[in-house]
Amino acid sequence: MSKPFLSALELHQQIQAGERSAVEVLDETFSTIEKLDGQIQAFNALTKDIAYATANQVDQKVKAGETLPLLAGVPLALKDNIHMEGVKTTCSSKILQDYVAPFNATVTNHLNRHLIPIVGKTNMDEFAMGSSTENSAFNKTKNPWDVARVPGGSSGGSAAAVASGQTLISLGSDTGGSVRQPASLCGIVGLKPTYGLVSRYGLVAFASSLDQISPFAMNVSDLAALFQVIASPDTMDSTSIQDPPQVDYMAELNKPVEGLKIGYIAELLDAGLQPEVKAAIEKAIQTYRDMGAMVEAVSLPNIKYAIASYYIIATAEASSNLARYDGVRYGLREMDDKDIYQMYLATRAKGFGNEVKRRIMLGTFSLSSGYYDAYYGKAQKVRQLIRNDFSKAFSQFDFLIGPTSPTTAFKIGEKSSDPVQMYLSDIATIPVNLAGIPAISIPCGFDNQHLPIGLQLFGPHLSEAGLLRTAYAFETQTGLKNLRPEALATV
Ligand code: GLN
């Protein structure tokens, strides 16, 4: 028999009311992890002592009759590229296998301030490069809906932790889709915020002009609450928006969508979608019409160049960001007794996996003298064209919709030998990072193997409140929230 589903906000209320202690909740969380994670392999490491210290603080505050901060006591899983002081940040790479973070990321400070117990660090594609979590140097995380399939990536561990009920909320990072795509493949919700709304301080850099720390949850209300906790200006991140509008993301969820103008991106409906994905998106379009929104096709002619432009810009930035892993200052060092050149070579050859090496080489090539204008310069121009496409679309429509991923979860090993096939699975998510706009993935149905399908909603810069409300209306209308695979319904 399945237990009634408790959302993160409801759990938090029970803790505040003294109906359950935060320590008891944590005991249950760790026993669920013990039961499930041998199979799912969402976690690289658990941080029990730190989590219990936070939970104890929550319980003391409740005893003292104090009002708790938002989401206090609700256990959370953190992607292993976000720093927690004194805990390893491995980025699922051999080169950082034993690297201990010397400081907290700004988001970690926000979680601590809110007394949200961090239960562990989650598996990912090495340095967040991938769409399946198969590029981890450690484990292959499984999709809770079918353990023969990938959870998506690169934040596959954080997505699988939530989808399997090990935690109700988690954080990942999204550079080209790494939160929205695993949310889609795992049947949960994920939001990539406007670039600059969430601090990147203490997030290990992959492609700095695209990276954003991004939340996962089981439903839109919990997601809005977690986003409220982490979104804030930060002087430690020079790209942080220093004076964002003051918005209560949870207060606006109930506003109706009647009268909204929504554009569905014609190119993404033609992007070789799995037929059931296309059908589910078409049904979602109808759902919005039924709710009183006006939905029409819109063309973004340049998004077909997004993948090509992204794989130049992201690899160029990665080749420069990853130059710091040279065996001298961070992590692994090989052949310490040889000259420095041999030490560099041996360290990087052993420390980086194939995909990371491929990207460093691609990026170094496109930045090299003689090729810079032809590749990097041109990719930047294409990026501007894509931004212009979105601006034009948002002058006619409030929000846009389309698929998150062209397919549902694929089999482990199915695409791992063909990098281009893997890159193509990001066609619908990458344009968002190039434009710096926010987008959310929410469940919108299942394929005929009962694998979840994700709907993506896109908004103009800083439109998160409206985007969350548009998602919330769909979730309320369809009841597609808090989805959990049958086999895991009792945990
Ligand atoms: N799948 C994309 C890539 O491999 C996006 C990764 C991400 O968002 N971190 O680069």
Side-chain angles (χ1 to χ4, degrees):
M1 232 197 30
S2 60
K3 280 196 284 187
F5 183 88
L6 210 55
S7 73
L9 284 165
E10 286 163 347
L11 182 60
H12 167 73
Q13 276 154 17
Q14 290 194 349
I15 294 168
Q16 172 75 77
E19 289 161 23
R20 291 168 85 180
S21 80
V23 166
E24 265 166 44
V25 168
L26 209 50
D27 288 342
E28 272 180 36
T29 300
F30 283 119
S31 91
T32 306
I33 293 174
E34 188 131 319
K35 221 168 16 182
L36 293 182
D37 211 47
Q39 187 174 28
I40 303 292
Q41 297 188 288
F43 287 94
N44 283 344
L46 299 178
T47 47
K48 282 195 181 176
D49 293 350
I50 296 174
Y52 275 108
T54 308
N56 272 315
Q57 279 185 54
V58 173
D59 290 340
Q60 275 161 22
K61 281 199 186 297
V62 173
K63 273 206 198 93
E66 291 180 40
T67 304
L68 296 173
L70 185 60
L71 289 177
V74 180
L76 171 140
L78 194 65
K79 188 175 181 179
D80 207 3
N81 59 353
I82 301 173
H83 285 345
M84 273 175 92
E85 187 179 335
V87 172
K88 283 181 192 168
T89 302
T90 72
C91 291
S92 290
S93 178
K94 282 193 194 135
I95 214 158
L96 289 180
Q97 196 158 10
D98 296 313
Y99 173 73
V100 175
F103 61 91
N104 274 340
T106 296
V107 293
T108 307
N109 285 333
H110 287 316
L111 298 172
N112 290 344
R113 206 164 36 81
H114 277 258
L115 300 177
I116 295 172
I118 304 172
V119 298
K121 306 295 297 287
T122 57
N123 196 21
M124 54 186 277
D125 285 300
E126 184 177 3
F127 284 103
M129 298 175 186
S131 309
S132 67
T133 315
E134 290 165 292
N135 294 337
S136 165
F138 309 141
N139 291 318
K140 293 213 188 324
T141 302
K142 312 297 182 304
N143 189 314
W145 293 88
D146 176 353
V147 292
R149 291 174 191 270
V150 303
S154 65
S155 315
S158 287
V162 170
S164 59
Q166 302 188 58
T167 63
L168 292 171
I169 48 176
S170 64
L171 292 183
S173 63
D174 190 314
T175 304
S178 277
V179 160
R180 288 160 290 149
Q181 184 256 17
S184 170
L185 271 46
C186 288
I188 62 175
V189 299
L191 167 72
K192 200 294 280 183
T194 300
Y195 183 78
L197 256 192
V198 177
S199 171
R200 290 184 297 114
Y201 182 68
L203 165 71
V204 177
F206 159 15
S208 310
S209 76
L210 302 157
D211 299 338
Q212 272 296 276
I213 293 177
S214 305
F216 287 106
M218 294 289 287
N219 58 68
V220 176
S221 318
D222 287 353
L223 188 76
L226 182 55
F227 181 56
Q228 189 83 42
V229 169
I230 61 167
S232 79
D234 184 12
T235 50
M236 301 300 279
D237 172 0
S238 63
T239 60
S240 157
I241 300 171
Q242 293 303 335
D243 51 354
Q246 293 294 312
V247 191
D248 180 344
Y249 297 106
M250 296 158 71
E252 301 203 3
L253 289 181
N254 269 314
K255 283 196 189 160
V257 295
E258 209 176 325
L260 273 189
K261 287 193 207 149
I262 299 177
Y264 68 86
I265 304 177
E267 287 80 2
L268 291 184
L269 249 75
D270 277 339
L273 304 184
Q274 182 181 326
E276 297 129 298
V277 172
K278 186 166 184 181
I281 304 301
E282 282 166 348
K283 198 166 161 206
I285 292 171
Q286 193 49 50
T287 304
Y288 275 110
R289 286 188 179 135
D290 295 345
M291 289 190 286
M294 181 208 88
V295 191
E296 280 174 14
V298 60
S299 172
L300 276 72
N302 293 298
I303 60 172
K304 58 174 173 290
Y305 306 120
I307 291 181
S309 142
Y310 170 89
Y311 276 96
I312 291 171
I313 295 170
T315 57
E317 294 184 16
S319 76
S320 143
N321 276 325
L322 272 61
R324 74 191 66 172
Y325 307 107
D326 54 9
V328 178
R329 288 162 296 178
Y330 302 92
L332 186 74
R333 178 179 302 171
E334 286 290 302
M335 291 205 180
D336 208 6
D337 52 336
K338 300 279 174 1
D339 69 48
I340 192 160
Y341 187 65
Q342 285 185 59
M343 189 278 283
Y344 282 163
L345 281 180
T347 300
R348 291 167 72 85
K350 181 157 179 211
F352 290 134
N354 286 344
E355 184 60 27
V356 175
K357 286 178 182 156
R358 179 161 31 243
R359 301 215 187 181
I360 291 173
M361 288 189 283
L362 277 170
T364 308
F365 178 80
S366 63
L367 286 179
S368 54
S369 132
Y371 296 103
Y372 184 93
D373 289 338
Y375 292 105
Y376 187 73
K378 201 163 183 182
Q380 290 290 13
K381 288 181 187 155
V382 172
R383 182 176 191 174
Q384 188 57 43
L385 293 178
I386 292 169
R387 283 198 191 111
N388 296 349
D389 276 4
F390 275 112
S391 305
K392 197 165 155 222
F394 289 128
S395 68
Q396 297 163 352
F397 295 97
D398 299 302
F399 299 102
L400 307 179
I401 59 176
T404 306
S405 162
T407 66
T408 54
F410 44 93
K411 291 244 167 75
I412 293 172
E414 191 179 323
K415 297 190 184 180
S416 49
S417 58
D418 185 348
V420 173
Q421 270 311 310
M422 193 73 91
Y423 297 172
L424 288 175
S425 64
D426 297 330
I427 173 69
T429 49
I430 278 176
V432 167
N433 303 72
L434 290 173
I437 59 172
I440 186 168
S441 180
I442 56 174
C444 70
F446 291 90
D447 72 4
N448 53 23
Q449 303 196 63
H450 206 62
L451 296 168
I453 299 172
L455 172 72
Q456 191 175 193
L457 307 169
F458 312 70
H461 288 101
L462 301 174
S463 66
E464 276 82 352
L467 201 58
L468 286 160
R469 132 168 98 111
T470 311
Y472 182 78
F474 183 87
E475 178 188 273
T476 309
Q477 178 83 3
T478 59
L480 289 166
K481 62 172 177 174
N482 307 331
L483 307 176
R484 185 143 295 160
E486 198 70 26
L488 301 175
T490 52
V491 286

